[in-house]
Amino acid sequence: MNTGMNFELNAPASIAEVVEQLANKTGARVFSGGTDLVPNLRRRIGTPPVLVSTDGVAEMKSVDLQGDHLVIGAAMPLAQLLESDKLAGFPALLQAIAEVAGPGLREAATIGGNLCQDTRCLFYNQSHWWRKSNGFCLKLDGDTCHVAPNGEHCFAAYCGDVAPALLVLGAEVRIAAQGKDRWVSLNSIYEDDGRSHLLLKPGELLVSIRIPLKAAQWRSGYLKSRLRKSVDFPLAGVAVALRLDNRGISHLRIAVTGTNSRPLLFEDFSVVPLSITDDLALSAIDREIGQSIKPMRTTNLPGLYRRKMVAVLGRRLIEGLTAPTGKNGV
């Protein structure tokens, strides 16, 4: 099959070189692991003339304790992170990483690549000839959303496993560009737009992720629903982090993936603090989340099923994390 792939591949040795090439080479894209990008290129979803690899940037392939944070380089392979004892205090993150694809893909896939992966849809993640025969779609080359034909919004879903775990842990990300370097909340880099869900500007690079060490004081976990027991992206994924006191749950964060064009974080619940056994309060949380999630016909299972799975997974996590054995995850 002729994939039409024809590009220049560069492998700089420093962050400065990477951002310089991203800024000055027209159409350049970051290459980090390639487990999301390469399948898209094979389907002629995007034709970047230049790929800039982060594999040779040592600073982006480390896990270090820096002050009151754990800092993870964005080019760290997921398989290596699973073996790091420095992540032991963050069970939600370890569980999410372990749920990404399969062991072979985790050897190549990176944590930064997982955070920045493209949104997905049944009508988008197809071969070029399939998409052409269907008139393409609103996300790429077409003018109609086949999920919601009468609208002008793309509902392609963000399906990363790692983002919700990091969101409930209060993670921040370091963004580098020429002449600029800043830390921002992970939550701030996403937009609920299937065509342009990342708010990174051209020439900007996600360099690393930092998690406050105090997040280890929270009980946390991650669960997902998928068709097969491995490999598949989440139809719905939920991360929960909570703290307990003598009244019950004193602090609660819930993050959802697979339903919208961005991962969603919920943390300002009106019913918190709440008793562990307060079913009415838990139902109110389910309704509050249900008002924000928008699972559409972007997968081969209906949105209603995925909506219900968010509630099921959230309840399952809260029950497991509040049990006596739930301290280190579910």
Side-chain angles (χ1 to χ4, degrees), residues 270-271 274-288 315:
S270 59
V271 293
L274 62 93
S275 167
I276 296 170
T277 58
D278 191 341
D279 189 68
L280 288 177
L282 292 175
S283 295
I285 290 172
D286 292 343
R287 289 194 298 273
E288 187 171 335
R315 287 287 190 108

Side-chain angles (χ1 to χ4, degrees), residues 263-330:
L264 299 175
L265 174 64
F266 304 90
E267 54 183 339
D268 297 319
F269 297 105
S270 59
V271 293
V272 175
L274 62 93
S275 167
I276 296 170
T277 58
D278 191 341
D279 189 68
L280 288 177
L282 292 175
S283 295
I285 290 172
D286 292 343
R287 289 194 298 273
E288 187 171 335
I289 293 174
Q291 291 172 358
S292 296
I293 61 175
K294 297 178 181 178
M296 301 290 284
R297 192 168 55 95
T298 56
T299 73
N300 46 13
L301 283 183
L304 179 59
Y305 172 84
R306 291 154 62 205
R307 179 182 293 275
K308 289 183 176 180
M309 283 308 302
V310 168
V312 169
L313 296 176
R315 287 287 190 108
R316 192 174 297 170
L317 281 164
I318 291 172
E319 291 171 359
L321 293 170
T322 54
T325 57
K327 183 175 182 180
N328 294 315
V330 294

Side-chain angles (χ1 to χ4, degrees), residues 10-75:
N10 298 327
S14 69
I15 294 170
E17 290 178 273
V18 173
V19 297
E20 188 275 332
Q21 292 196 24
L22 290 176
N24 297 318
K25 290 182 177 289
T26 303
R29 293 277 305 274
V30 177
F31 182 88
S32 182
T35 55
D36 183 56
L37 179 61
V38 171
N40 279 352
L41 295 182
R42 287 174 174 166
R43 293 166 174 156
R44 292 168 61 185
I45 297 176
T47 54
V50 180
L51 296 181
V52 185
S53 173
T54 60
D55 190 58
V57 183
E59 185 180 349
M60 295 179 65
K61 302 185 75 173
S62 62
V63 183
D64 300 302
L65 294 173
Q66 297 182 10
D68 55 359
H69 288 86
L70 177 69
V71 180
I72 304 171

